[in-house]
Amino acid sequence: MMRKILLCALFLSFCFGAVGENRVWQKGYTFLKFLEDYHIPLKLYYNLPAEDKELTAEIYAGVEYQTLKDKNGKLLQALIPVGEDIQIQIYEENSTYKLTFTPIKYFQKSQTLALEVLNSPYQDIFKQSKDLSLANEFLNTYKNSINFKREVMKGDKLALLYVRKYRFGEFFGTPTIGASMIETSKKPNFLISYNDGRYYNLAGKEITGFLLRMPLSNVYITSKFSQARKHPVLKQVVRPHFGIDLRAKIGTPIKSAGSGRVVSAGNKGGYGKAIEIAHEGGLKTLYAHLSSIDKKIKVGSYVKQGQNIGKSGNTGISSGPHLHFGLYKNNRPINPLGSIKTTRSELKGKEKEKFLQFAKEQKQLLEDELNKLTAQNTSEQTQSTLTQNPPLEESK
Ligand SMILES: [Zn+2]
């Protein structure tokens, strides 16, 4: 009897000793609220260096995070992603909570896809890859050059080379399309990604995607954009800077970088008074450390490119008056300078030569995929012909 109870107790402690949970960060939830909910002293946040405070404001609604609690509900560890590359790790050590940033481990794979359009490029890509963000990404890249509904016919082919991230065996983040081709009435249209993710045709001419303008009239960059990376020597995570800092005296008018809809306006943790605007193509811009927000700017309101949205300031965690300008693609921070309107639309000289060679290789890879597709279709047809005409012996 005693043994049974002991076994049972052991079993229970095994089950309830520590509870791991997968949770979703809700809209409007803040890092400070999170600390409160888990009874973690708020000084953990207040004692962080300024850049780290900014990063905690980068946790976005809808992201999945993990918590590990003991049987009394006390938090032992939490892992909260900021962007696709790093996560905040909170853990308890000697009865005090600590916070560090650690890289998110994922597995990356170069992949190809080729198909013949039966319904629509979007539906067919999804059907074949089961990857919704890939289908969206493909649409985005051709957004301003091809009208899929009008120009793509049934039987047109498409092919793409892309890099996919996986985490715990599942799709993670947004795929990066390196090169793609889609036929419009059997005529091929190639797009090659080059130079900071801009897309060019085979002749080296930039295919205009969605372009933004700078949110200020006088642009002077004081801090550049950087992704999280591992320090090659120290092996530590180097803090990323998810945007660019622009010099701006308090009260400088801030303009919307593009047309779109306001998704948030108000306090955003370390970013102070901030505005977020969603644009087409899964893009979102962030304007932070503002001194004031224009009265017309409310969640859901529509803004035009260049419209005044507020005034720059020094609110939140800021080392001095400036505008922090962030750009996100499907919630992933990207370099705003890569999407800013420039006069250069065609590659020239040495750069063009380099591109043309690169484009040739990419084109060949895409064509190889399409040839495989044709070979496959032919063999399928042969097979079905065979089944329709049974071997002679049987028909006797
Ligand atoms: Zn900044």
Side-chain angles (χ1 to χ4, degrees):
M1 181 68 185
M2 200 56 210
R3 225 181 108 192
K4 259 191 189 158
I5 292 170
L6 195 72
L7 266 176
C8 198
L10 267 174
F11 179 68
L12 280 174
S13 84
F14 177 72
C15 278
F16 301 113
V19 187
E21 267 184 315
N22 222 0
R23 310 178 67 103
V24 174
W25 198 267
Q26 298 301 318
K27 206 171 177 197
Y29 199 50
T30 63
F31 187 66
L32 277 171
K33 186 81 181 58
F34 172 87
L35 296 181
E36 260 175 38
D37 286 351
Y38 286 94
H39 311 289
I40 299 169
L42 299 187
K43 65 169 195 279
L44 184 72
Y45 171 80
Y46 291 114
N47 290 344
L48 286 177
E51 317 88 74
D52 291 359
K53 281 199 189 99
E54 263 200 359
L55 275 180
T56 63
E58 285 284 347
I59 308 167
Y60 57 89
V63 77
E64 269 185 40
Y65 64 101
Q66 287 85 36
T67 57
L68 187 70
K69 292 183 285 189
D70 73 4
K71 57 181 188 295
N72 301 317
K74 195 173 122 186
L75 187 81
L76 300 173
Q77 193 198 28
L79 291 169
I80 311 165
V82 271
E84 282 180 14
D85 297 307
I86 59 162
Q87 55 194 342
I88 297 171
Q89 181 186 205
I90 298 169
Y91 61 98
E92 204 206 7
E93 200 179 69
N94 306 327
S95 316
T96 46
Y97 280 105
K98 303 233 163 101
L99 186 153
T100 58
F101 289 87
T102 61
I104 294 176
K105 297 272 182 217
Y106 54 76
F107 160 73
Q108 206 161 270
K109 200 174 147 199
S110 294
Q111 283 172 259
T112 56
L113 185 139
L115 58 83
E116 194 179 307
V117 177
L118 295 174
N119 294 305
S120 73
Y122 184 84
Q123 283 174 296
D124 295 331
I125 290 174
F126 177 62
K127 201 177 161 205
Q128 186 150 332
S129 64
K130 302 278 173 284
D131 191 341
L132 207 57
S133 7
L134 181 66
N136 274 318
E137 235 1 60
F138 186 77
L139 244 65
N140 285 340
T141 52
Y142 282 99
K143 191 146 214 149
N144 291 322
S145 56
I146 292 178
N147 183 329
F148 281 178
K149 253 194 197 136
R150 280 215 314 263
E151 297 176 65
V152 179
M153 303 291 151
K154 192 179 163 182
D156 276 336
K157 295 191 180 76
L158 66 85
L160 51 155
L161 312 175
Y162 63 103
V163 177
R164 211 349 148 189
K165 287 178 189 160
Y166 293 87
R167 203 168 176 231
F168 304 123
E170 283 177 33
F171 294 139
F172 177 66
T174 310
T176 316
I177 296 179
S180 61
M181 190 291 297
I182 184 161
E183 289 176 340
T184 42
S185 307
K186 305 286 174 203
K187 187 179 120 284
N189 304 274
F190 287 90
L191 277 190
I192 313 289
S193 167
Y194 195 65
N195 273 355
D196 230 351
R198 287 169 180 258
Y199 286 96
Y200 296 85
N201 66 13
L202 290 179
K205 207 169 168 197
E206 187 170 359
I207 300 300
T208 320
F210 177 72
L211 290 178
L212 301 167
R213 50 154 289 163
M214 279 292 187
L216 287 170
S217 315
N218 288 316
V219 172
Y220 182 85
I221 298 171
T222 53
S223 177
K224 285 196 222 158
F225 175 90
S226 64
Q227 290 282 11
R229 63 207 149 88
K230 238 186 180 166
H231 193 282
V233 182
L234 300 172
K235 302 274 177 220
Q236 280 170 338
V237 177
V238 178
R239 303 281 189 279
H241 184 224
F242 288 155
I244 53 175
D245 288 346
L246 300 169
R247 192 160 67 188
K249 275 195 296 216
I250 291 180
T252 308
I254 303 301
K255 299 166 193 326
S256 177
S259 304
R261 212 161 276 283
V262 178
V263 287
S264 83
N267 247 314
K268 193 171 162 61
Y271 281 134
K273 269 200 187 113
I275 301 170
E276 287 177 295
I277 299 172
H279 312 281
E280 59 177 60
L283 292 175
K284 187 177 79 183
T285 48
L286 164 74
Y287 314 80
H289 308 305
L290 303 178
S291 59
S292 69
I293 294 173
D294 195 281
K295 279 201 288 291
K296 279 186 229 140
I297 303 302
K298 296 260 154 58
V299 172
S301 58
Y302 181 82
V303 291
K304 282 211 186 93
Q305 184 170 54
Q307 185 180 328
N308 280 335
I309 52 173
K311 299 226 159 79
S312 75
N314 194 25
T315 54
I317 308 304
S318 174
S319 49
H322 76 280
L323 173 76
H324 173 99
F325 176 49
L327 176 66
Y328 301 79
K329 184 156 191 176
N330 304 321
N331 284 322
R332 177 171 199 237
I334 57 171
N335 189 350
L337 295 182
S339 294
I340 295 286
K341 225 176 245 178
T342 54
T343 43
R344 183 203 62 182
S345 62
E346 205 167 338
L347 297 170
K348 292 212 168 74
K350 275 243 161 65
E351 207 186 5
K352 186 172 178 178
E353 269 172 50
K354 247 171 82 186
F355 169 80
L356 291 179
Q357 183 54 37
F358 176 71
K360 207 172 128 190
E361 291 159 14
Q362 298 286 296
K363 179 174 179 257
Q364 188 57 54
L365 290 171
L366 287 168
E367 279 169 350
D368 290 349
E369 287 309 308
L370 289 164
N371 289 337
K372 273 189 234 162
L373 182 74
T374 318
Q376 217 175 42
N377 284 351
T378 322
S379 82
E380 265 167 28
Q381 271 165 20
T382 325
Q383 269 169 21
S384 58
T385 327
L386 278 175
T387 26
Q388 275 158 22
N389 305 310
L392 283 172
E393 291 91 330
E394 277 179 37
S395 61
K396 263 182 203 166

